[in-house]
Amino acid sequence: MASSHGSSPVPQSKNSDAFFKKEMDPSKRFRPVQSLPDVCPKEPTGDPSNLCDSPSLVADQHRWTIYHSKVNLPAALNDPRLAKRESDFFTKTWGVDFVDTEVTPSFYLPQITKEHFASYQQEITPREKIHEKCKNIYPPKDTFDRTLLYTHGTVRRYLSSHLLFQIFMKPDFALEDSITFNAVLPWSHFNTAGGKGNRDAASSKLLQEKLSHYLDIVEVNIAHQISLRSEAFFHAMTSQHELQDYLRKTSQAVKLLREKISKIDKVMCEGSLRVLRLTLTRNNCIKAYNKLKLMATVHQTQPTVQLLLSTSEFVAALDLIATTQEVLQQELQGIHSFRHLGSQLCELEKLIDKMMIAEFSTYARNDLNRPLEDDCQILEEERLVSLVFGLLKQRKLNFYEIYGDEMIITAKNIIKQCVVNTVSQIEEIDTEVVVKLADQMRMMNFPQWFDLLKNIFSKFTIFLKRIKATLNVIRSVVLLVLDKNQKSRDVEDPLQKDSAKDSAVDTEVAYLTHEGMFISDAFGEGALPALAADTTSQRNVSPSSEPCSSDSVSEPEGTTDSSSSKEQTSSSVTPGGVEIMISDDVKLTDLELGKLANNIQDLLYNASDICHDRSVKFLMARAKDGFLEKLNSSEFVALSRLMEGFILDTEQICGRKSMSLRGALQSQANRFVNRFHEERKTKLSLLLDNERWKQAEVPAEFQDLVDSVSDGRISLPEKKAAAAEERKPTEFLVVEGQKYATVGTVLLLIRIILEYCQCVDNIPSITTDMLTRLSDLLKYFNSRSCQLVLGAGALQVVGLKTITTKNLALSSRCLQLIVHYIPIIRAHFEARLQPKQFSMLRHFDHITKDYHDHIAEISAKLVAIMDSLFDKLLSKYEVKAPVPSACFRNICKQMAKMHEAIYELLPEEQTQMLFLRINASYKLHLKRQLAHLNVVNDGGPQNGLVMADVDFYTGNLQALKGLNSLDLNMAEIWEQKR
């Protein structure tokens, strides 16, 4: 009656943080009645274990099953009689993996905190306070049964029942509550002072009567309620008997039905169900047998791996480990005996990684330290391919760095061994006195050191060829894997379609023997051959592996694969002809493979740089005492050609230029050029300082030298053996049909110029430097010869008495010879310069201009000599008898001497031009003197005397050799009439 008050959603506590939920409907607390399982299925469906273990009313009605159990597993585990449950209850029976795990919170349910109810608390707290206040002021009106008031109609019964229901019928009635206890037993009547015992006895009696009265009221109310529902009570008792009869009849019908169903089960169903059970049992036995066979194969993994590692079959060992791990994860997952095998295989795989790196390091050391003979065969190519493929499989992409480190060490050892071998063959070097190899090497002369350098270069060439062959094999493996990846992407869609078709084959179990064959055992062995033929794939593990029967599980030489493995292999051939098997389990991206291929190519470039760097250090060690700077031209040219040849060989092998050795050669070449130029310039300076500027005889070798230049060969001729009859020297140097009278210095200068040109041919890298130095040499000769001849420096340097016209003419002719060869030299250098360096050719243009200016100055000097003579002689000229006068005789005599001095030195054209200029000077002075003497062309006696002298001059001048056709135009000596 009072239970209706307990469903209020209003909080029943004064604490604002505590709230009570409304009680759920009792009908919702009961689970729905589950239907009985199908006792006679038409065919076995679902899990076989469910089919075998399900209860059956027909077969199991008289047999005890787990459904009769009264205690379940949680009840057993939570037995209150046990003080403490054993902590290892599960792990000691089911393994160490069966441990308590923390349930991760759901990602879809939020974390409910107190803050989520903050708004509700703020909203409901004022209402709760108002409700509590009203409840204290106005007591509840429905705490008693109003029907009692109208039933009896007396105020006394109402008050009694009101008090009774207000106290005893409260939902939270409890005598432990002090307020309730004081309301039921008012102790205030018993706590008075002493001496009032009679009053206490009366109060106790009154309380007892009051409680008895409450009991009477309750009994009366119960009787009243029974009287109100008596008809329904008696009707229920009557219906109970009828219900029992119905239940009895129903029980008999059910019993009869069960007997009939039991007979039907024995006749029609029991045999069929037994067949299904036996079939499922057989299949389970096959699965267990195949699992045991697979476990036996997996058990042989570690011995097989050890056997493969003993023969350095790293790839096969890694494939076996990968396949075994796949089988453990997919088909043997949860096997207690293999719980540590996965970690053991991982450790074994790490060990194989270290072994492969150590093996590759050993291979690189053995390959590079082989005797450097004239062959480039690859050392154990199959072993190299296997190592590289294994390293790629394990993603050890920095293995090429090991090879690079070995290259550096081997390059050092090559030079050291060559030096030791060469020193041991030289008796002059005492190795006990001179301990250091560098000091021993510095004691060699140039031929010995040159042979040593040639030997080092030849060893380095073979060394680079061997490295290139090895790196080509490594790079080919990387490129084959890259090509395989690209092809696998191209055929990915067809493979997916084929795999979908293969998956349509309904097989109960598939297992793999050590051969790598997938074999399916279904319901009969008749389908084995066809299915095995469709699912067999061969793996090439080692050259010695042989196929064996599919039932063999004891031989450890093979590998195992999971039935779900998608690994495939393809055969490829390296450039060396070695066939390799490339599997799809090399999971490297195209970017990684491409970067690795580029790094391997860079390693070949680094090998070239290493050889060049070691060669540079070898050269610098020899050049410490200035040995290379002291080489003569032929020795340095031989050294330069050797180094250039080695540089070209390395560029051809490696396909890239290395600048270190070329830079060292350029540095040495620059020093050589400086020394070469200083020696030639010093030599030329000494020659000029001792030159007396007299015509020198031309030896035959110089004439041959000039002739070779005329034929287009700008080089020094080789020294020939002394002929039986030596050719006599000639007076003139014949160049392209022209005779040149020269001095000895110019002949040697021509040879020096050809030495510069030949150095350019021998050492192309010094072309620009040689051009600059040759320009400087030519300028020096021009300026120094000008100082000595025109500047009369030879008077003090050589001790000449005077600079004669013959000296001047000879100097002019020597300059003309040099000018003749400047265009040839320019063309020679132009053919060896880069187009961007053509601007340097302007030096030859400036030199040519300087030489022409110098020649013009010499000509002017010759004219000036005669001009001063004319001025001196004609200033004293008087028109009188006898004719010819002494003045004109003296002039003709000096002209004849001039002609005699220069005619054989200068060409006829230059002689004529020179005398025309001298004649013009003569006419100018004569004209001035005639004007001074007032002699005019009037046909008078004085005019006649002058004309006689002029005819004498003209006749003598034209009588000179080569001047007979000279137009003197002597009419210009007379003043023109105005």
Side-chain angles (χ1 to χ4, degrees):
M1 290 178 290
S3 62
S4 62
H5 303 290
S7 62
S8 175
V10 181
Q12 299 296 324
S13 174
K14 294 182 180 182
N15 186 3
S16 61
D17 294 337
F19 295 92
F20 295 94
K21 294 183 180 180
K22 183 183 288 187
E23 293 184 0
M24 297 177 59
D25 188 358
S27 61
K28 297 181 181 179
R29 298 180 182 178
F30 301 98
R31 297 179 180 176
V33 180
Q34 297 181 354
S35 60
L36 291 175
D38 190 1
V39 297
C40 186
K42 295 181 181 180
E43 58 184 5
T45 59
D47 191 1
S49 61
N50 295 336
L51 183 60
C52 297
D53 298 337
S54 301
S56 174
L57 293 177
V58 177
D60 301 332
Q61 61 180 336
H62 302 298
R63 183 166 60 90
W64 188 91
T65 64
I66 61 173
Y67 296 99
H68 293 83
S69 176
K70 301 301 182 182
V71 180
N72 56 8
L73 180 61
L77 296 176
N78 298 321
D79 190 352
R81 293 173 296 179
L82 296 178
K84 182 179 180 182
R85 183 168 61 87
E86 297 179 1
S87 59
D88 59 345
F89 181 82
F90 295 104
T91 57
K92 72 179 182 180
T93 304
W94 296 333
V96 296
D97 293 335
F98 195 92
V99 296
D100 294 337
T101 58
E102 183 181 357
V103 179
T104 58
S106 174
F107 297 102
Y108 304 99
L109 297 178
Q111 295 290 336
I112 304 301
T113 60
K114 189 175 180 180
E115 284 73 11
H116 288 82
F117 300 95
S119 59
Y120 177 73
Q121 289 180 354
Q122 294 176 359
E123 180 182 357
I124 206 65
T125 299
R127 299 182 185 180
E128 181 189 9
K129 293 180 180 179
I130 296 173
H131 175 72
E132 293 293 337
K133 184 178 180 181
C134 294
K135 187 173 68 172
N136 294 332
I137 297 175
Y138 303 101
K141 299 179 180 181
D142 296 332
T143 56
F144 61 93
D145 192 357
R146 295 179 181 273
T147 58
L148 295 177
L149 179 62
Y150 299 102
T151 303
H152 299 279
T154 61
V155 176
R156 182 172 177 273
R157 181 175 297 176
Y158 164 73
L159 294 174
S160 300
S161 62
H162 178 74
L163 182 61
L164 174 66
F165 285 100
Q166 187 177 12
I167 298 176
F168 291 96
M169 296 303 176
K170 290 174 61 177
D172 54 350
F173 176 79
L175 288 176
E176 293 85 356
D177 188 7
S178 59
I179 298 176
T180 304
F181 186 80
N182 292 330
V184 175
L185 299 174
W187 290 100
S188 60
H189 301 286
F190 305 101
N191 294 333
T192 56
K196 297 182 179 181
N198 296 329
R199 186 178 177 181
D200 292 341
S203 299
S204 300
K205 186 176 181 181
L206 181 62
L207 178 61
Q208 184 177 3
E209 292 177 356
K210 183 177 179 180
L211 295 176
S212 300
H213 176 65
Y214 287 163
L215 180 62
D216 294 338
I217 292 174
V218 171
E219 292 176 352
V220 170
N221 287 328
I222 292 173
H224 177 68
Q225 293 295 332
I226 292 174
S227 64
L228 292 177
R229 295 173 175 79
S230 60
E231 183 177 358
F233 177 74
F234 289 111
H235 177 71
M237 294 298 294
T238 304
S239 300
Q240 180 70 21
H241 296 290
E242 296 178 0
L243 183 61
Q244 289 180 355
D245 294 338
Y246 290 150
L247 289 175
R248 190 178 304 109
K249 293 178 181 180
T250 302
S251 176
Q252 293 176 356
V254 169
K255 184 177 181 181
L256 180 61
L257 178 61
R258 285 184 175 181
E259 291 177 355
K260 291 181 180 180
I261 291 175
S262 178
K263 294 178 181 179
I264 292 173
D265 179 53
K266 291 181 180 179
V267 174
M268 300 180 63
C269 301
E270 185 174 356
S272 300
L273 291 175
R274 180 179 176 82
V275 171
L276 291 175
R277 291 193 193 96
L278 292 177
T279 301
L280 293 175
T281 303
R282 178 181 178 275
N283 291 337
N284 290 335
C285 291
I286 291 174
K287 290 180 181 179
Y289 172 69
N290 292 335
K291 289 291 183 183
L292 290 175
K293 289 172 67 177
L294 188 58
M295 290 173 64
T297 303
V298 171
H299 184 66
Q300 296 295 324
T301 297
Q302 287 180 317
T304 306
V305 169
Q306 296 293 338
L307 181 61
L308 292 173
L309 292 181
S310 65
T311 58
S312 299
E313 293 289 341
F314 299 106
V315 178
L318 290 172
D319 288 340
L320 178 57
I321 291 174
T323 305
T324 304
Q325 287 179 338
E326 187 177 359
V327 171
L328 288 175
Q329 293 175 0
Q330 295 184 2
E331 298 192 18
L332 298 181
Q333 188 175 9
I335 301 298
H336 184 71
S337 60
F338 288 154
R339 64 186 184 276
H340 301 304
L341 182 58
S343 60
Q344 292 174 356
L345 292 178
C346 291
E347 293 297 327
L348 191 58
E349 189 173 1
K350 294 179 181 178
L351 177 62
I352 293 175
D353 291 347
K354 296 179 181 179
M355 291 179 63
M356 284 194 301
I357 293 176
E359 186 75 10
F360 184 79
S361 178
T362 303
Y363 175 85
R365 192 178 303 111
N366 295 337
D367 178 51
L368 295 176
N369 291 323
R370 284 183 293 162
L372 292 172
E373 300 174 354
D374 215 358
D375 64 341
C376 299
Q377 294 183 356
I378 302 172
L379 178 66
E380 299 179 13
E381 184 174 356
E382 295 182 359
R383 176 187 173 194
L384 174 61
V385 171
S386 176
L387 282 173
V388 173
F389 188 74
L391 292 169
L392 292 178
K393 184 180 179 68
Q394 295 303 106
R395 301 181 66 86
K396 302 296 181 182
L397 304 183
N398 59 344
F399 64 91
Y400 63 92
E401 297 177 357
I402 300 174
Y403 200 83
D405 296 338
E406 290 297 333
M407 288 192 310
I408 297 174
I409 298 173
T410 306
K412 294 180 181 178
N413 294 334
I414 287 174
I415 293 181
K416 183 177 180 181
Q417 190 62 37
C418 290
V419 173
V420 170
N421 294 338
T422 304
V423 169
S424 62
Q425 298 174 1
I426 301 175
E427 298 179 356
E428 293 81 3
I429 300 177
D430 189 356
T431 56
E432 296 180 358
V433 177
V434 183
V435 180
K436 293 184 179 180
L437 282 178
D439 296 336
Q440 295 173 1
M441 179 191 64
R442 294 189 187 98
M443 296 180 66
M444 300 179 186
N445 54 31
F446 179 77
Q448 294 171 345
W449 182 82
F450 186 78
D451 293 338
L452 172 60
L453 182 62
K454 185 186 297 184
N455 186 26
I456 291 174
F457 283 165
S458 63
K459 297 292 185 183
F460 273 156
T461 303
I462 299 174
F463 178 65
L464 289 176
K465 290 180 180 178
R466 184 173 294 171
I467 291 175
K468 181 179 181 181
T470 302
L471 293 182
N472 282 343
V473 173
I474 297 175
R475 193 165 183 267
S476 65
V477 174
V478 176
L479 294 179
L480 286 174
V481 175
L482 178 60
D483 184 62
K484 176 64 179 178
N485 288 352
Q486 294 174 351
K487 289 181 179 179
S488 63
R489 285 198 304 271
D490 295 338
V491 298
E492 186 176 3
D493 294 337
L495 286 177
Q496 290 178 353
K497 294 180 181 178
D498 294 341
S499 63
K501 293 180 181 179
D502 294 339
S503 62
V505 180
D506 185 12
T507 58
E508 290 293 329
V509 67
Y511 69 93
L512 180 65
T513 64
H514 69 282
E515 272 186 296
M517 297 183 179
F518 291 95
I519 301 177
S520 174
D521 290 336
F523 295 95
E525 296 186 359
L528 275 177
L531 189 57
D534 292 338
T535 58
T536 300
S537 63
Q538 187 83 22
R539 290 180 60 96
N540 183 12
V541 177
S542 66
S544 61
S545 62
E546 297 179 357
C548 55
S549 62
S550 60
D551 293 333
S552 174
V553 295
S554 60
E555 295 182 9
E557 286 81 2
T559 59
T560 59
D561 283 336
S562 169
S563 60
S564 62
S565 175
K566 298 179 182 178
E567 181 178 345
Q568 299 176 355
T569 60
S570 63
S571 177
S572 300
V573 180
T574 63
V578 177
E579 184 175 357
I580 59 174
M581 304 299 294
I582 302 177
S583 61
D584 290 341
D585 57 351
V586 182
K587 302 302 181 183
L588 294 173
T589 63
D590 292 351
L591 181 61
E592 291 174 333
L593 291 172
K595 185 177 180 180
L596 179 59
N598 292 335
N599 289 336
I600 294 173
Q601 185 64 37
D602 292 339
L603 190 60
L604 180 60
Y605 300 153
N606 293 338
S608 176
D609 294 339
I610 289 170
C611 294
H612 282 221
D613 292 342
R614 301 312 305 179
S615 300
V616 169
K617 290 184 179 180
F618 178 76
L619 289 173
M620 294 300 103
R622 189 65 182 92
K624 281 186 177 180
D625 54 354
F627 173 76
L628 298 180
E629 297 179 2
K630 299 175 184 178
L631 300 179
N632 56 38
S633 300
S634 60
E635 291 175 344
F636 189 83
V637 167
L639 175 62
S640 176
R641 287 180 176 177
L642 178 62
M643 296 175 66
E644 285 287 348
F646 176 69
I647 291 171
L648 293 177
D649 290 341
T650 56
E651 289 177 0
Q652 184 178 4
I653 294 172
C654 302
R656 193 185 71 170
K657 294 183 178 180
S658 296
M659 302 307 297
S660 58
L661 185 58
R662 193 182 296 274
L665 176 60
Q666 184 65 40
S667 176
Q668 293 297 328
N670 292 336
R671 293 174 184 165
F672 168 76
V673 168
N674 291 333
R675 183 179 58 80
F676 179 87
H677 177 65
E678 291 300 328
E679 289 179 354
R680 269 62 183 173
K681 189 174 181 179
T682 303
K683 182 179 180 181
L684 179 61
S685 177
L686 293 175
L687 290 173
L688 287 173
D689 289 344
N690 294 300
E691 181 60 58
R692 303 188 66 83
W693 297 101
K694 292 183 179 181
Q695 183 177 0
E697 293 181 345
V698 179
E701 58 176 328
F702 285 97
Q703 185 63 53
D704 294 338
L705 185 65
V706 171
D707 293 340
S708 66
V709 174
S710 301
D711 295 337
R713 300 190 307 273
I714 304 180
S715 61
L716 295 175
E718 297 179 358
K719 293 184 178 179
K720 299 180 181 179
E725 296 181 0
E726 295 184 358
R727 294 157 51 188
K728 295 181 179 181
T730 59
E731 293 184 2
F732 297 95
L733 183 68
V734 180
V735 179
E736 296 181 1
Q738 290 190 12
K739 293 181 178 181
Y740 285 89
T742 62
V743 294
T745 302
V746 174
L747 293 176
L748 294 175
L749 177 60
I750 294 175
R751 185 181 182 87
I752 291 173
I753 292 173
L754 294 182
E755 288 177 355
Y756 276 81
C757 295
Q758 189 170 10
C759 278
V760 171
D761 291 336
N762 295 330
I763 312 174
S765 60
I766 62 174
T767 303
T768 56
D769 291 336
M770 277 296 184
L771 189 150
T772 306
R773 302 301 194 282
L774 181 57
S775 301
D776 180 67
L777 187 71
L778 293 175
K779 290 178 181 178
Y780 176 77
F781 174 76
N782 185 37
S783 61
R784 186 60 177 163
S785 62
C786 182
Q787 293 173 2
L788 293 173
V789 180
L790 281 178
L795 299 178
Q796 292 80 20
V797 175
V798 186
L800 294 179
K801 295 180 180 181
T802 182
I803 301 299
T804 63
T805 55
K806 192 170 185 178
N807 297 139
L808 292 172
L810 188 59
S811 174
S812 175
R813 195 57 175 160
C814 290
L815 294 174
Q816 292 174 23
L817 178 61
I818 301 301
V819 170
H820 172 78
Y821 281 108
I822 287 179
I824 300 175
I825 299 170
R826 175 193 173 101
H828 180 79
F829 277 90
E830 184 176 3
R832 287 152 184 79
L833 288 175
Q834 299 294 331
K836 61 182 179 181
Q837 298 173 336
F838 285 168
S839 60
M840 299 184 66
L841 297 174
R842 68 180 184 276
H843 293 297
F844 292 110
D845 299 334
H846 298 328
I847 293 171
T848 304
K849 182 178 180 300
D850 293 341
Y851 271 70
H852 282 302
D853 293 342
H854 190 184
I855 294 170
E857 290 178 3
I858 292 176
S859 299
K861 183 64 175 178
L862 292 173
V863 175
I865 292 173
M866 296 305 296
D867 184 76
S868 62
L869 180 64
F870 293 150
D871 183 56
K872 178 180 178 182
L873 295 176
L874 290 176
S875 63
K876 299 177 181 180
Y877 173 63
E878 294 180 358
V879 183
K880 62 181 182 178
V883 177
S885 62
C887 177
F888 273 77
R889 286 194 189 97
N890 199 4
I891 289 175
C892 290
K893 182 180 179 181
Q894 295 299 328
M895 293 285 281
K897 289 182 179 180
M898 170 69 74
H899 180 272
E900 183 182 359
I902 68 173
Y903 179 76
E904 292 184 354
L905 301 179
L906 297 178
E908 184 175 344
E909 296 81 4
Q910 294 184 20
T911 304
Q912 292 177 357
M913 292 298 300
L914 180 62
F915 273 90
L916 283 176
R917 294 178 61 187
I918 294 173
N919 182 59
S921 174
Y922 163 74
K923 290 188 292 183
L924 181 61
H925 285 283
L926 181 58
K927 183 179 180 180
R928 186 181 305 130
Q929 184 64 23
L930 291 177
H932 177 70
L933 297 174
N934 294 321
V935 178
V936 294
N937 190 12
D938 56 356
Q942 289 185 336
N943 179 261
L945 292 174
V946 172
M947 290 304 296
D949 288 335
V950 170
D951 291 339
F952 174 77
Y953 166 80
T954 303
N956 278 277
L957 187 59
Q958 290 180 347
L960 296 176
K961 191 175 180 180
L963 301 181
N964 51 359
S965 60
L966 200 64
D967 185 11
L968 300 179
N969 193 13
M970 298 305 295
E972 295 180 354
I973 63 175
W974 305 107
E975 290 285 345
Q976 298 294 331
K977 293 182 179 181
R978 298 179 180 178

